[in-house]
Amino acid sequence: METVTVLGAGYVGLTTAACLAHLGHRVHAIDADAARVHRLQAGEIDLLEPGLPEMVRAHQQTGHLSFSTDPGSRIGGSDAVLLCLPTPARVDGSADLAAVRSWLPHLRRHLSPGRRIILKSTVPPGTQRQLVTVLDRPDIAMISNPEFLREGHAIHDWLNPDRIVIGADEPESTRYLSSLYTSLDAPVVETDPTSAELIKYAANTFLALKITYANTLAELCEHIGANITDVRTGIGHDPRIGNTYLDAGPGWGGPCLPKDVRALVSTGTRTTTDLGLLHALLETNAYHQRRIVTLVEQLLPRPLTGARVAVLGLAFKAATNDLRDSPALHIANLLAARRAHVTAYDPAIDASATPTAGQLTLTESATAAVAGADVVLVLTEWPEFAELPWHHLARDMRGDVVLDTRGKLDRTLLRGAGLHLRTLGEPFSEIAAARTA
Ligand code: UGA
C-alpha cells in the first residue's frame, strides 16, 4: 500500500483519487478551491459521473480517502504526488500551466528525497522537461503519465485502461507505476516524457479528426443520396479504421478535445511546424456547428427570426452535465443570436441555476420546451429523448419537424405521431414532398 497525494480534485483528480483508494492505497486529495473541498469532505460530489459518488464516500468511510486544501501536511509524507490540475486554453489557444506551476514551490519544499511526481494533467510536449528545471530537485523523479478517461465512463476507463503510457528518464519509474497500478491489466508504453505528452494530444486530436471526417461524409451523403449509417458500418468493419468515433453529430466539443486540438496547433506554431491539417480540423468543426443552424433555417416554414425552436440537450454529450465548449449550447446560442426564440431542456441541467443570455430560455421538462415549437432540434444523445411521448408532444407543437443531429430517435414512432424526422447524413425529401403535396 502506497501513501499518495493527488493535487486537483476535478474530473481526473477525483476519479484518480477514488480509484487509487479502490486499489488499496491511502490517498489524500488536495484542491485549492476551499468550497469544493468542504463539499467533498461532506461527501457531496458535483460531477455527474456514474459510480463516482458511491466510490468516494465508501473510501472516505474506510479512511483511505481524505480531502483538504493544505499542501504542507500531506505532501511530506507521500510516496508520490499525482498532478491532476487543469490546463485551460489561453486566448491564443496555448495551454495555461499556471495551476501546475503554482504547486512547484510546495513540492520543492515538502517532498522527501527519492519520492515521485506523476504528471497526469494534459500538458504541451516539453512541459515535463521545463518543470524539472524549475523544480530543481534532482532527487525527485517526475513521470509523465497521461490519463485517457472519458466523462460519463470515468471509473470504468480508469480501472480498465487501453494502455498505460509512462514517460520517464529512469527505468525505476516504470517499476514504481506498475506497483501503484497493481491490478490494472493493460499494455505499458514506456517512452520519454515529451513523447508521452504528445501521445495524449495526438490521441484526442485523432478522435476529433475521425468525428469530423464522419460529419463531412454525412453532409456528402445528403447531397449524393447515400446513407451515412451504412457508410459508417461499411468502413468501420475495416480494423484499420475501426467503428468508433464515427457517429455524425453537431460537431465535437467538451472540456478536452477543443482545448487539446488548439493547444497542439499552438505547439505547431511555436515550433514552426506546418499543422495546416489541424487548422482545417478546427475550421471544419466550427462549420459543422453552423451547418446545424442552416439546416434548422431550411426546415422552418417561416424565417428563423421570431421562429420558436425547441432544443433537446445542452450538455456536450449524454451522461454528463458538462456545458464546457458544448456544441449544443453553442448552437442554441447561435440560434438565439439570430433572434429565434429558443427553449432548451436537458435532463442533467438545472434550468433555474444555469444563467443564459438573450432569447435562450431553459425549461424543466421536454414538454415545456417543445410546446409551441416550430421545429424541435435534438443536440445531445440522451436515451430518454427516444422515449418521450411524441404523440402528446406533437399535439402541442406549432410545426411538424424534428431535426435529430444524433440519429437516436425512432422514425416510425415519430411518423406515427405525425412528425417528419430529419437526421444527418440521410437523403431527405420527406418534408419538401409533404409541403408541395
Ligand atoms: C475525451 C477522450 O475521448 C478521452 O480519451 C480523454 O481522456 C478525454 O477527452 C480527456 O482528454 O480528458 P471526453 O471529453 O469525455 O473524452 O469526450 P468524448 O466521449 O471523447 O466525446 C468528445 C466529443 O465528441 C463530444 O462532443 C461527443 O459528442 C463527440 N462525438 C464522439 C461525436 O460527435 N461522435 C462520436 O462518434 C464520438
Side-chain angles (χ1 to χ4, degrees), residues 119 123-129 132 142-146 164-171 173-174 188-200:
L119 191 51
V123 293
T127 299
Q128 184 269 8
R129 299 254 185 254
V132 164
M142 193 183 296
I143 310 165
S144 176
N145 174 226
I164 296 173
V165 174
I166 302 175
D169 294 316
E170 316 78 9
S173 298
T174 302
V188 173
V189 180
E190 284 180 70
T191 183
D192 61 276
T194 304
S195 301
E197 290 162 341
L198 180 56
I199 286 168
K200 170 69 190 197

Side-chain angles (χ1 to χ4, degrees), residues 294-325:
T294 307
L295 289 177
V296 168
E297 212 168 0
Q298 288 168 356
L299 292 169
L300 281 166
R302 54 172 51 81
L304 183 56
T305 301
R308 307 190 78 84
V309 182
V311 164
L312 296 183
L314 283 176
F316 83 96
K317 63 175 184 177
T320 173
N321 56 0
D322 202 333
L323 292 173
R324 288 177 289 172
D325 237 322

Side-chain angles (χ1 to χ4, degrees), residues 59 98 108 120 142 166 171 202 211 218 232 326 377 398 430 433:
H59 293 295
R108 186 188 304 118
K120 292 195 85 65
M142 193 183 296
I166 302 175
I211 300 164
R232 176 199 194 289
S326 167
L377 173 60
R398 193 156 72 173
E430 206 177 308

Side-chain angles (χ1 to χ4, degrees), residues 12 122 147-153 157 163 200 203-204 207 211 214-215 232 244-257 259-260 316-318 325 327 381 406:
V12 171
T122 302
E147 181 54 55
F148 300 98
L149 59 81
R150 295 161 299 163
E151 286 192 16
H153 305 268
D157 289 355
R163 72 291 205 192
K200 170 69 190 197
N204 272 0
L207 296 175
I211 300 164
N215 285 336
R232 176 199 194 289
T244 58
Y245 281 79
L246 286 175
D247 287 335
W252 39 266
C256 303
L257 264 52
K259 167 179 83 71
D260 292 353
F316 83 96
K317 63 175 184 177
D325 237 322
E381 71 280 25
R406 299 291 191 160

Side-chain angles (χ1 to χ4, degrees), residues 374-394:
D374 293 303
V375 63
V376 175
L377 173 60
V378 177
L379 290 171
T380 310
E381 71 280 25
W382 287 105
E384 46 261 66
F385 293 156
E387 312 294 328
L388 288 171
W390 285 103
H391 274 91
H392 174 74
L393 297 182

